[in-house]
Amino acid sequence: MLLSMTGFGRGEAATADGSRITVQVSSVNRKQFEVRFSMPGELAELEVAGRKLVSGAISRGSVQVRCSLTASADNSGNYSVNTGVLDMLVRECRAARVRANLPPDVAVESLLSLPGILNVAAKDRDDELSVFAPAFEAALKAALNDFDNMRRTEGEALRNDLLERLEKLKAWGFELESMTSGYPELAKQRIMTRLAEEKLPVSGDDPALLKEVLFYVDRGDVTEEITRLFSHFSQFHLFLDSTEPVGRNLDFLAQEIFREITTLGNKAAVSGASAVVVAFKAEMEKIREQIQNIE
């Protein structure tokens, strides 16, 4: 099943002491894999474990993981807000918004997730991590599962779209095959017509004529390109049915298909082929754009 590189997932889990951890996972297109974490200071040491989970579930794309911690009422005494830094950030944010001609309102709660704003008592550090770790892992796994479901849904839509476009390419491939199948006889007729126009009577089985015909047939023969195109179509279909990440493979195969149709267009010397090749290339560009969304 194809997986989209764009998606969003959310997960929550409660700790043993009643606190709550919320994790959001989102991603956008990128050729390679990249992951960025945004976590409160209390959970910063869990980032390494989080990266392992994310890299095990996602192979391609730019991934953003945002984590927040809501303390329970019973543990509120273990936390303190660095009001001096927070006030300074609020002032700077308001000033920046005014300079940008934006309303001066600042979402103060969003600043609490910045390092150094919300602190946990040092004496409880080890105990807190032992409580946070299981909940963080559970919340992240839930977010990744939600994220994966969304990617599967979008991936299935991409697969259906690509299958429809692939059928168009196959139809044009058969049309080009039909157009070019009679090229050897067409080349011979062109040469005979030209000779007749020049009043140079030559027999149809003249060795020199046959040699010339073979030369032109070889220059305009696209049998190999047609064969490779349909071979690529079959491979493309196999990739669409694969259960492994195939975005890179599809990207490479699309380049090969484009190369073959370009060569075919340059060689084919039959009427109507150029229009089909142009339509084929236009559809291939759309396919290549869609492939950029696939993991």
Side-chain angles (χ1 to χ4, degrees):
M1 176 180 290
L2 294 186
L3 293 175
S4 171
M5 269 197 289
T6 59
F8 176 84
R10 187 175 186 274
E12 289 186 351
T15 65
D17 65 0
S19 299
R20 179 163 293 277
I21 294 177
T22 302
V23 177
Q24 294 180 344
V25 178
S26 60
S27 71
V28 294
N29 300 351
R30 192 173 188 273
K31 287 187 176 182
Q32 306 300 326
F33 174 70
E34 175 187 65
V35 58
R36 298 186 302 277
F37 274 76
S38 177
M39 303 176 68
E42 300 92 318
L43 305 180
E45 295 178 38
L46 300 176
E47 181 177 331
V48 174
R51 285 182 175 274
K52 289 181 180 179
L53 285 174
V54 173
S55 60
I58 305 171
S59 64
R60 194 176 181 216
S62 178
V63 184
Q64 176 73 52
V65 179
R66 299 182 183 277
C67 181
S68 63
L69 172 65
T70 303
S72 67
D74 293 339
N75 291 322
S76 60
N78 293 331
Y79 297 88
S80 62
V81 176
N82 191 332
T83 55
V85 176
L86 180 60
D87 291 344
M88 181 273 292
L89 287 175
V90 170
R91 288 195 302 272
E92 292 298 324
C93 288
R94 283 176 175 168
R97 293 179 65 85
V98 169
R99 287 195 299 271
N101 292 321
L102 297 172
D105 300 331
V106 176
V108 179
E109 60 275 12
S110 65
L111 299 177
L112 294 177
S113 62
L114 296 176
I117 302 300
L118 185 63
N119 301 314
V120 64
K123 64 179 181 179
D124 298 320
R125 186 63 174 169
D126 292 338
D127 291 340
E128 291 288 353
L129 283 177
S130 66
V131 172
F132 291 155
F136 170 71
E137 181 176 343
L140 179 55
K141 286 183 176 180
L144 288 171
N145 184 64
D146 190 30
F147 172 79
D148 191 61
N149 289 335
M150 181 175 179
R151 291 200 302 156
R152 288 177 183 274
T153 300
E154 292 191 8
E156 184 62 20
L158 286 171
R159 178 180 180 277
N160 292 334
D161 180 76
L162 289 172
L163 282 174
E164 290 181 7
R165 298 185 187 280
L166 184 59
E167 288 304 313
K168 289 183 182 180
L169 298 188
K170 288 180 181 179
W172 284 322
F174 284 122
E175 188 174 351
L176 288 169
E177 184 179 36
S178 177
M179 283 182 178
T180 56
S181 61
Y183 179 70
E185 183 61 29
L186 177 62
K188 181 178 179 180
Q189 291 176 359
R190 286 177 176 174
I191 293 175
M192 293 294 292
T193 300
R194 184 65 180 273
L195 290 173
E197 291 174 351
E198 297 295 332
K199 298 182 172 28
L200 297 172
V202 178
S203 172
D205 57 359
D206 183 274
L209 173 63
L210 294 177
K211 183 178 179 180
E212 193 70 14
V213 169
L214 287 175
F215 172 75
Y216 280 101
V217 167
D218 184 63
R219 287 183 58 186
D221 184 23
V222 294
T223 302
E224 291 185 10
E225 286 74 17
I226 292 289
T227 300
R228 283 195 291 266
L229 274 179
F230 280 98
S231 175
H232 292 335
F233 294 159
S234 297
Q235 187 63 49
F236 199 99
H237 204 292
L238 289 176
F239 283 144
L240 292 181
D241 291 334
S242 176
T243 58
E244 301 295 327
V246 293
R248 292 186 180 92
N249 293 333
L250 286 172
D251 190 27
F252 173 77
L253 191 57
Q255 294 179 40
E256 289 299 298
I257 292 175
F258 201 88
R259 185 175 66 83
E260 292 296 346
I261 194 62
T262 298
T263 302
L264 188 152
N266 291 335
K267 291 176 63 175
V270 295
S271 176
S274 295
V276 177
V277 170
V278 169
F280 192 110
K281 285 185 174 183
E283 195 66 23
M284 272 307 304
E285 287 294 346
K286 297 175 183 177
I287 288 176
R288 290 166 77 174
E289 290 177 4
Q290 287 288 57
I291 289 174
Q292 302 309 311
N293 298 315
I294 298 173
E295 182 182 24

